[in-house]
Amino acid sequence: MCGILAVLGSSLPVEELRELVKSCTKKLYHRGPDEEQYFISEDGWCGLGFARLKIVDPEHGVQPMFNDQRTVWSVTNGELYNHEEIRKTELNNMTLHSHSDCEIMIPLYEKYVSSQRYDHDIQYVYNLLRGVFASCLVDLKRGFFMAGRDPIGVRALFYGTSKDGAVWFASEAKAIVDVCDYVTAFIPGTFVKGYRGREQAFSFTRYYEPVYWHDHWMPVSPVDYQLLHDTFVLSCKRRLMSDVPIGVFISGGLDSSLVASVAKRLLDPNYEFHSFACGLEGAPDVAAAQRVADFLGTKHHVLTFTVEEGIQALDQVIYHLETYDVTTVRASTPMYLLSGLCKKYVKVVLSGEGADEIFGGYLYFHNAPNEIAFHQEVVRRVKLLYTADVLRGDRATAAQSLELRVPFLDRDFLDVAMSIHPREKVTSKHRIEKYIIRYAFSKEFCGEEYLPDDILWRQKEQFSDGVGYSWIDGLKAYCEKAVSDADLQNAAQRFPHDTPTTKEAYVYRAIFEKHFGNCKAVQGLRESVARWVPMWSDSTDPSGRAQKVHVAAYSNGGD
């Protein structure tokens, strides 16, 4: 986890650009408090900033990185889990300056990217990578730059443009909203390329385009439980690459518990594996998480917070999230608070994000009218992960200087899971959500007990519910008092774009506007907000309890 910043084509004098790059990078300090480094080209065409959280090769993996001639420079916020394989197979064991996974970007560029076939060659390079990344590379000699983001958008990246013709890239929008006229999210699974003198004349090219990405493609493969099992184990193994301590979030639900169980088996038996859970007093997740920790033998830590403490954190949570989406704010607040405890023990933490999107695990999927609709919604949710759960996971942890890793979103695991016929995933009264991944790790199938049955087959709880049902109830009660009926009725006058329709949404929007409303480029941020709303539901409330199938459903199926 790091913070990157790049600017190409600024008209500022070199020294002014240097100071501006420094001040913008400092806004990413929370993402990388261990070290800050900068590079400004002699002619001022290129400026790079990097805020580092030392994870792999802490002593030598300094960025920005450069080639021996100092003509090619790069900054990468990422974890490239197959970097050792790439060093051997693609780079022929060439000697590099460090053992940092991110250093492979420059030699891959120099070997494969030619001026005759830029698009083809850049696609090839990005498709070699197995990991998560937000990267920018600059070739001073060619007057060329390229930037790319991992397939699902696990690592955050934004881009912006300014009146002087420059283009900016940054890990978070807050670093560049004051210097740009327009800022928005960089599309996952794509890259851009540009040239000196035509910096803003770029378009996005998709390098990640699996068959499931196409609207009318339907998977037909029966589930291969062994392949599903083995690919997920490999994904977890990849994410144990680290030179600093690793821990795991355990909510007590299936996803994070399964990640914890697989990782624990892969680690040395003497490794002190820390696990973390949070919730209100008496929360269902806390009790379930303790059951998992006891079963696995982790060094377990619990954060018990109050509704009032969560409400007090809202201002900082929304500042770091850069969104006012109700679901994201609800779920991010407990995660933000827990990350504050977590960073006392580890720098890297594993989590279970992505499973509900891949397998149709949200309770509203019970209402899917048919298999086609089920699959289409799965694909839509996967494509939007960077606006929701992935955004939450990145920002809530990065705000506390933690690196989050999510095994369910491994590219190879996605290829397997998304090729399975939707009839294998569809839920019913007699088939629990995410059945196939549960069964793949059941004792009945693999002969090993990864989790106790009451955890392996536990019904889905959305994180904002599982930390304690009174968390959402308390938020709503607070917002009900904070916003008058007249304020809500006149909300369109204050918020003409994407007007909030509930008092809770009004409160979050007001906080967002307090932090970003005066920035020149804020409209691009507003336009990038994607509201998390369940399909096929009588209720527009995103809480799992708003779905009638929930064991603790609201009495009327909604609010």
Side-chain angles (χ1 to χ4, degrees):
M1 176 68 68
C2 301
I4 69 169
L5 183 126
V7 53
L8 291 308
S10 173
S11 62
L12 289 174
V14 171
E15 287 308 313
E16 286 187 34
L17 180 61
R18 188 186 311 278
E19 292 307 310
L20 183 59
V21 167
K22 285 184 178 181
S23 66
C24 291
T25 304
K26 287 186 181 299
K27 294 178 183 179
L28 303 172
Y29 174 81
H30 53 282
R31 299 185 71 91
D34 294 338
E35 185 175 62
E36 286 184 19
Q37 296 288 340
Y38 312 94
F39 166 72
I40 309 297
S41 63
E42 291 182 0
D43 60 2
W45 178 62
C46 164
L48 302 174
F50 193 78
R52 187 183 181 205
L53 185 67
K54 296 180 179 180
I55 303 294
V56 177
D57 194 359
E59 297 303 315
H60 306 103
V62 179
Q63 297 195 50
M65 292 178 167
F66 50 86
N67 64 355
D68 290 339
Q69 297 76 32
R70 294 180 176 253
T71 57
V72 181
W73 293 74
S74 73
V75 284
T76 301
N77 171 26
E79 295 74 51
L80 307 178
Y81 302 118
N82 64 335
H83 75 105
E84 291 186 349
E85 177 187 345
I86 286 177
R87 287 170 186 257
K88 294 175 184 176
T89 60
E90 302 292 334
L91 302 177
N92 300 316
N93 291 310
M94 74 161 52
T95 301
L96 301 179
H97 297 285
S98 74
H99 196 65
S100 167
D101 51 312
C102 296
E103 194 179 357
I104 63 173
M105 294 304 298
I106 290 177
L108 283 176
Y109 166 78
E110 292 185 308
K111 180 176 180 179
Y112 289 115
V113 180
S114 68
S115 57
Q116 287 76 35
R117 304 191 309 165
Y118 271 141
D119 284 356
H120 173 275
D121 296 345
I122 296 171
Q123 288 182 46
Y124 180 80
V125 168
Y126 283 132
N127 279 314
L128 284 175
L129 307 178
R130 292 296 180 269
V132 295
F133 56 88
S135 180
C136 183
L137 181 146
V138 182
D139 188 328
L140 300 178
K141 187 175 181 180
R142 289 182 178 177
F144 171 83
F145 68 90
M146 67 185 209
R149 190 177 182 188
D150 66 74
I152 303 300
V154 174
R155 285 294 164 261
L157 187 62
F158 288 81
Y159 76 95
T161 54
S162 52
K163 286 183 179 178
D164 62 356
V167 60
W168 294 73
F169 302 97
S171 293
E172 295 183 15
K174 60 178 62 67
I176 58 176
V177 287
D178 286 326
V179 297
C180 291
D181 300 300
Y182 183 82
V183 172
T184 193
F186 194 106
I187 304 168
T190 70
F191 68 86
V192 299
K193 67 180 189 300
Y195 307 89
R196 184 192 297 266
R198 294 177 288 151
E199 288 81 9
Q200 294 185 4
F202 64 82
S203 60
F204 286 90
T205 300
R206 177 158 292 282
Y207 71 85
Y208 178 69
E209 199 164 13
V211 289
Y212 75 80
W213 212 258
H214 301 282
D215 292 339
H216 301 296
W217 182 83
M218 279 291 293
V220 296
S221 300
V223 59
D224 183 333
Y225 286 105
Q226 193 63 57
L227 180 61
L228 193 65
H229 175 282
D230 294 348
T231 312
F232 185 69
V233 171
L234 174 61
S235 175
C236 292
K237 183 178 181 180
R238 286 172 170 170
R239 281 150 183 81
L240 297 178
M241 177 189 80
S242 177
D243 293 324
V244 297
I246 295 178
V248 62
F249 286 142
I250 301 180
S251 70
L254 169 72
D255 310 337
S256 60
S257 299
L258 190 57
V259 169
S261 178
V262 174
K264 184 70 166 63
R265 287 167 175 262
L266 293 169
L267 292 166
D268 185 282
N270 297 319
Y271 189 90
E272 188 172 62
F273 194 35
H274 292 265
S275 59
F276 305 89
C278 73
L280 306 178
E281 191 70 42
D285 272 4
V286 172
Q290 187 66 59
R291 172 107 165 95
V292 175
D294 292 342
F295 177 81
L296 298 178
T298 61
K299 181 79 171 178
H300 195 53
H301 309 270
V302 177
L303 174 73
T304 302
F305 69 96
T306 64
V307 172
E308 290 71 25
E309 288 171 329
I311 290 170
Q312 289 172 8
L314 286 175
D315 184 86
Q316 278 300 294
V317 168
I318 292 172
Y319 170 74
H320 284 289
L321 289 177
E322 301 173 340
T323 184
Y324 46 82
D325 173 62
V326 169
T327 310
T328 305
V329 174
R330 286 178 177 179
S332 296
T333 305
M335 196 174 199
Y336 169 82
L337 294 172
L338 179 58
S339 295
L341 170 65
C342 186
K343 71 177 180 180
K344 297 178 181 179
Y345 301 92
V346 300
K347 277 190 170 182
V348 177
V349 63
L350 306 173
S351 192
E353 275 74 17
D356 289 312
E357 286 78 7
I358 296 168
F359 296 106
Y362 293 114
L363 296 185
Y364 74 82
F365 275 91
H366 281 262
N367 304 324
N370 54 56
E371 294 172 357
I372 294 175
F374 185 100
H375 172 71
Q376 289 174 340
E377 178 64 1
V378 162
V379 173
R380 188 180 76 90
R381 279 287 171 218
V382 170
K383 289 181 177 182
L384 287 175
L385 267 166
Y386 78 103
T387 70
D389 281 29
V390 159
L391 183 153
R392 164 177 59 81
D394 176 84
R395 304 307 179 76
T397 53
Q400 303 282 15
S401 304
L402 278 178
E403 176 173 293
L404 186 75
R405 296 183 178 178
V406 285
F408 279 106
L409 296 179
D410 180 88
R411 176 171 173 162
D412 294 330
F413 181 72
L414 276 168
D415 285 346
V416 172
M418 296 297 287
S419 67
I420 297 171
H421 197 294
R423 68 165 168 259
E424 306 276 13
K425 299 180 181 180
V426 168
T427 56
S428 69
K429 292 180 179 179
H430 308 292
R431 188 179 175 93
I432 194 169
E433 65 277 352
K434 295 180 286 192
Y435 173 86
I436 58 177
I437 191 66
R438 298 175 193 267
Y439 185 74
F441 286 88
S442 68
K443 188 174 183 180
E444 178 182 354
F445 173 72
C446 60
E448 302 177 71
E449 191 175 16
Y450 277 85
L451 292 168
D453 275 355
D454 58 313
I455 299 296
L456 185 65
W457 300 100
R458 183 186 177 209
Q459 187 185 53
K460 163 70 184 173
E461 287 277 16
Q462 288 182 212
F463 186 56
S464 52
D465 286 326
V467 297
Y469 296 144
S470 57
W471 166 234
I472 292 178
D473 297 340
L475 279 175
K476 290 181 176 180
Y478 165 78
C479 296
E480 182 65 33
K481 293 180 180 178
V483 179
S484 69
D485 292 342
D487 285 339
L488 185 60
Q489 186 176 358
N490 297 316
Q493 297 178 19
R494 183 176 179 185
F495 310 115
H497 174 83
D498 199 12
T499 305
T501 58
T502 68
K503 292 184 177 182
E504 185 182 6
Y506 189 105
V507 167
Y508 303 160
R509 181 62 176 277
I511 296 173
F512 173 90
E513 296 296 337
K514 182 189 78 171
H515 287 297
F516 303 110
N518 293 325
C519 300
K520 293 187 293 184
V522 68
Q523 186 58 24
L525 277 186
R526 296 189 188 109
E527 292 170 356
S528 68
V529 172
R531 293 191 181 183
W532 201 106
V533 178
M535 295 279 283
W536 316 303
S537 175
D538 295 334
S539 172
T540 58
D541 189 287
S543 168
R545 285 186 296 150
Q547 308 308 312
K548 294 178 181 179
V549 70
H550 194 286
V551 294
Y554 300 131
S555 60
N556 64 347
D559 284 338

